[in-house]
Amino acid sequence: MLIPGAVPVLLSSQFSIGSGQTVIPDVSTLTAPFSSPILIDRVIVGLYCDATFTNGSTLSRALRAKFTLDRFEVSKDFVGLVNYAASPNPIVADRALDTTQIVSVNRVDGVQGTYSPGVRSQYEWVVWNLPKPVLLLQGSTFKPSFYRPSGGAYSGSTIYGEVTFAGVRLPASYPIPQQIDVPFASSFITGTLAANAVLRSIEPALQNENQNRSVTVQRITLSGGDLSDPFNPTVYLTHSSGFEITDGYVPLYEIVDQNRRAWTLGGITLDPKERIVATVKDGGNGATNVEIAIIGSRKEQI
Amino acid sequence: MAKIPIHLTASTVLAPGSTQSVNKKALQHPLGRPMEIHEIKFQLVCVDLARITGGSVGVQIKVGSQDVTRGFVPIWAMCRSTNETEERVIDTEAGLTIVNHVVRLSKPMWVPPYAKIDVQFAHRSQVASNITARVSFSGNTLDGNAIPNKIAVPYFACFASKAFDAYNSADADQSSETDLSNGTGKTLLVDRLVGRIGIYLQTTGSNFPDMTVTPDFGGRMLRVRMADSNGDPIIQQFTRFENVFAKETRSWEVPYVMDPGTFVGAYLDKLAPTTTAEDYLAQVFIGLVGSRLVTPQEMK
């Protein structure tokens, strides 16, 4: 979107995170520094780790992220980092939730990984194109925090990250709106499912908890196991009003585009206290951890 | 008359360090009709296997009296990657290295009847072999009576850094005031900034072991900061190169208006690795891509 008088701007902050840690990057460099407002439309999280690649494990799936926008809660709780973004990688090689399901190809290249000879460094990027651009007034902070559950991929190695907000600095004459768009993210995590187990989401997962604000849901994203495995979990989605979203249990890859891990909904709304109810049924494999997220935005008064 | 597709092409052979024009006649409409150009396509062919990239040849384009490029611009700095995974920047077939890049214009460029399109290529001496460079303009033939009031003329500028000793000492570089500047004299509608890195192994001469951006260099060691010509920050903190320029597209899509005579300053900071490593040289390319509006009279 071309805004006359706007100038590109990019804010960034680096962090490192060990297994079991929660980290808030230095927000002083993520706080809007200008007297004129900033409009952020993209969040990029770049990650790297010096560890031998393990098939099926990715750095971005080892991290969960939570965002706040000043006093507004963006993420209800920590949501899997990959579930903020749809994969832009519509190629066969990017097989959904398999080893390369992240937004960029998982580069493991001994020839190029010469930063520390003998160590194969891995690099990943997650790009979250925000449902609606986020307006940051001077001093406002779109604050990320990251959580790395214990015992996940590469638990013995530190993951180094950089979170970047890309957008434009608006002209000083830009009219400040009464309301701003605040992103929304909520997820339901099954934990490790036993074989043939059934688990149903409960409040507040996948719920619009705002008292007076409707949430426009942009997409449903999904992670957990190999989507194309017929013995992986199936899911049954309903609306809290009782309407069925899916016709009974359906395979995960029928819910989301296998190559994008996302079902773009085209702007359905969840009124206050409404929620999507997800019931996940293991397909017999067991040991799968499924996360279903809804990503959207709502209006808030400044 | 309905629009009819047209594709004009011309090529030349470049010796190392040389500059060559292509045949202007080949880039004129054969029937003297006006055209609208949608895409500019480039192909480079070299006998040295895996030794050239889109950074090996610069191009200077002029349409009528209008400069499309600010001097010679390496061709891969003019376009984003169209491949949404790791971009394949070279192809090797039948003992040749072939590089293809397509520049899709954000707005079609109207070209008046009999207008001359002047294209010059410059071999940037990264390899010791000749390079055959080809350019194509593709679009539509238009009805001669339809003359637009304003014509969107594309504009490309580039900052090509010095060659960094990629995996050894720390280093830095910065663009000049003219590299990423709006030299059109008009208000420039910027579409994107393009960021690419070319890396080659200096111990074997000009042999490029891999044309893709190494993850270590762009994702970890090389950081970039930018400011506008007033000194106001565009990228406030030094930020990893590939957090700025998306790995899938090699670009930062950021439409904005750039006043005449203003520029973007790019500052590169290369960290030293923990241990010294192989002798790779790396050159960083940051391209500025946009367009401005001119009158038909100004195109002549």
Side-chain angles (χ1 to χ4, degrees), chain A residues 1-2 4 6-12 14 29 33-34 42 44 46-48 50 88-91 103-105 107 111-117 121 123 125 160-162 164 166-169, chain B residues 84-86 167 189 210 212-216 219-221 223 228 232-240 242-244 246-248 251-257 272-278 280:
Chain A
M1 182 175 61
L2 181 66
V7 178
V9 73
L10 193 144
L11 306 173
S12 65
Q14 297 184 3
T29 57
F34 310 112
R42 200 155 51 112
I44 305 128
L47 303 168
Y48 70 80
D50 294 328
N89 229 347
I91 56 170
V103 296
S104 186
V105 175
R107 295 290 300 277
V111 175
Q112 293 184 345
T114 48
Y115 186 83
S116 297
S121 308
Y123 296 84
W125 286 264
Y160 299 90
E162 185 172 63
T164 301
V168 291
R169 174 161 51 92
Chain B
E84 290 185 327
T85 176
E86 288 298 327
Y167 290 102
L189 302 174
D210 193 282
T212 58
V213 176
T214 74
D216 288 322
R220 181 174 192 162
M221 295 166 61
R223 303 180 306 162
D228 67 17
D232 289 333
I234 291 174
I235 303 174
Q236 193 174 30
Q237 303 291 321
F238 275 112
T239 301
R240 293 178 200 155
E242 289 185 358
N243 264 38
V244 177
K247 197 171 180 60
E248 295 78 17
S251 74
W252 179 10
E253 302 294 314
V254 59
Y256 78 104
V257 176
T274 51
T275 55
T276 56
E278 293 175 83
Y280 288 96

Side-chain angles (χ1 to χ4, degrees), chain B residues 7-14 20-23 25-27 39-46 52-54 56-61 73-76 78-79 96-103 117-123 130-138:
Chain B
H7 184 102
L8 303 172
T9 189
S11 66
T12 187
V13 177
L14 299 163
Q20 289 282 337
S21 290
V22 299
N23 181 2
K25 219 46 182 163
L27 299 178
E39 294 182 346
I40 307 172
K41 300 165 183 171
F42 297 101
Q43 185 186 68
L44 307 177
V45 180
C46 180
I52 59 168
T53 65
S56 303
V57 169
V59 66
Q60 181 173 271
I61 303 174
V73 174
I75 61 171
W76 71 352
M78 297 169 67
C79 58
L96 298 171
T97 299
I98 302 159
V99 173
N100 287 294
H101 287 287
V102 177
V103 180
I117 300 177
D118 183 9
V119 176
Q120 288 186 69
F121 286 108
H123 190 303
N130 289 352
I131 297 175
T132 302
R134 176 175 292 278
V135 63
S136 297
F137 290 83
S138 52

Side-chain angles (χ1 to χ4, degrees), chain A residues 124-141:
Chain A
E124 294 178 16
W125 286 264
V126 173
V127 180
W128 180 20
N129 293 309
L130 296 169
K132 296 274 180 67
V134 170
L135 187 81
L136 295 182
L137 301 176
Q138 186 177 26
S140 291
T141 307

